[in-house]
Amino acid sequence: DTEVTQTPKHLVMGMTNKKSLKCEQHMGHRAMYWYKQKAKKPPELMFVYSYEKLSINESVPSRFSPECPNSSLLNLHLHALQPEDSALYLCASSQEGYPVVSDTQYFGPGTRLTVL
Amino acid sequence: AQSVTQPDIHITVSEGASLELRCNYSYGATPYLFWYVQSPGQGLQLLLKYFSGDTLVQGIKGFEAEFKRSQSSFNLRKPSVHWSDAAEYFCAVVYPNAGGTSYGKLTFGQGTILTVHP
C-alpha cells in the first residue's frame, strides 16, 4: 500500500485567515514533502522533512509554516496568504530519510487552495 | 545545470492508437528516472521507474519505458491507448551526482498533456 492522504480536498480562504493543510501516511516512510503546483506547471518543491526534522526549505515565504508532529503526519500552516498562492498543494513521502537518490516519492491527491 | 526535457507540450492520439511520450535528461551520469501521471485536479501517480538493469521497464496500466543511454532518453510507450489515459504525464529524474541541496532532489519535466480522441 502506497497511500498518502491529504485533507481537505478543497480550501477557500481569505487573505487574513489562518488555515492548515494535513497530510498522512502510514507506510513507515521517513521523509515527507510539500510541493506547490500551479496550473499547467510541474510541482515545485517547498519543504522536506526527514526523520521529523526540517531538511529543506526552498526559500518559501514565512506565511507558509510546515510542521511534522510525528512520523506519519505533516501539516502546512497558512497565514496571510496572497491570491497568487492559489494552487494545488501536494504532499509526498518516501521510504528512506532524505536525501537518498534511489528512493521513490509517492504523492497524495492534493489540496486545491483558493485565496480570495 | 541538471534538467529534464519533455519536448511535446501536447499530444493528441486516437483511442486504440500507439503512444510514445519523449523524455530527455541532461546530466552525464545516469540518473534515476520516473514517469508520473496526473489526472485533472489529482495528485501524481507513479507509472514506472528505472534505476538500473534491464533498460525496458514495465509499469502499471500497460505502460512501458525504455532507457537509452546513447540518446539520454527515457521514453514512455503504450501500444494501445484508452480514453482513460487522457491526463498529464511528467518525466522526473534524480541526479546522483548533484551537489548541495540539489542532491536527492526530484526534478520534473514540464509535462506532456495527452488528449485521446474516440
Side-chain angles (χ1 to χ4, degrees), chain A residues 37 42 58 102 104-105 108-109, chain B residues 36 38 43-44 49 51 103 105 109:
Chain A
Q37 186 180 26
E58 292 281 275
S102 58
T104 300
Q105 292 184 32
Chain B
Y36 288 89
Q38 186 176 33
L44 276 69
K49 61 186 177 184
F51 289 173
Y103 183 77
K105 186 176 177 180

Side-chain angles (χ1 to χ4, degrees), chain A residues 9 33 35 37 40-43 45 56 58 88 90 98-110 112, chain B residues 32 34 36 38 41-46 49 51 88 90 94-96 101-106 108-110 113:
Chain A
K9 194 171 177 61
Y33 310 74
Y35 286 84
Q37 186 180 26
K40 301 191 186 305
K41 295 290 187 183
L45 183 64
I56 298 285
E58 292 281 275
L88 182 68
L90 294 164
Y98 186 88
V100 173
V101 293
S102 58
D103 212 353
T104 300
Q105 292 184 32
Y106 296 94
F107 286 80
R112 174 70 61 188
Chain B
Y32 296 88
F34 306 83
Y36 288 89
Q38 186 176 33
Q42 301 297 313
L44 276 69
Q45 182 180 23
L46 179 69
K49 61 186 177 184
F51 289 173
E88 187 159 19
F90 290 98
V94 175
Y95 290 101
T101 57
S102 294
Y103 183 77
K105 186 176 177 180
L106 190 61
F108 287 91
Q110 289 300 304
I113 297 171

Side-chain angles (χ1 to χ4, degrees), chain A:
Chain A
D1 185 12
T2 53
E3 187 177 25
V4 177
T5 60
Q6 291 187 243
T7 54
K9 194 171 177 61
H10 301 276
L11 179 62
V12 179
M13 60 185 293
M15 289 189 284
T16 59
N17 291 158
K18 286 186 180 181
K19 297 287 185 183
S20 297
L21 309 185
K22 180 179 172 182
C23 172
E24 278 190 286
Q25 57 87 14
H26 296 286
M27 299 174 281
H29 286 183
R30 295 166 174 82
M32 297 184 75
Y33 310 74
W34 280 115
Y35 286 84
K36 174 183 178 179
Q37 186 180 26
K38 301 285 279 185
K40 301 191 186 305
K41 295 290 187 183
E44 297 175 3
L45 183 64
M46 301 174 71
F47 303 102
V48 182
Y49 272 81
S50 180
Y51 291 97
E52 302 168 45
K53 288 185 170 34
L54 185 64
S55 289
I56 298 285
N57 176 342
E58 292 281 275
S59 302
V60 178
S62 59
R63 57 186 184 269
F64 295 90
S65 175
E67 178 196 19
C68 189
N70 59 58
S71 59
S72 301
L73 184 57
L74 184 67
N75 297 321
L76 186 63
H77 303 297
L78 314 172
H79 174 54
L81 294 194
Q82 303 298 309
E84 59 264 30
D85 296 321
S86 298
L88 182 68
Y89 287 83
L90 294 164
C91 176
S93 70
S94 61
Q95 184 168 4
E96 306 297 335
Y98 186 88
V100 173
V101 293
S102 58
D103 212 353
T104 300
Q105 292 184 32
Y106 296 94
F107 286 80
T111 293
R112 174 70 61 188
L113 175 67
T114 302
V115 182
L116 302 176

Side-chain angles (χ1 to χ4, degrees), chain B residues 68-88:
Chain B
K68 292 186 177 180
R69 186 189 306 276
S70 61
Q71 298 177 20
S72 298
S73 69
F74 187 56
N75 293 350
L76 183 72
R77 302 194 294 246
K78 187 169 185 178
S80 177
V81 170
H82 188 262
W83 64 267
S84 59
D85 294 323
E88 187 159 19

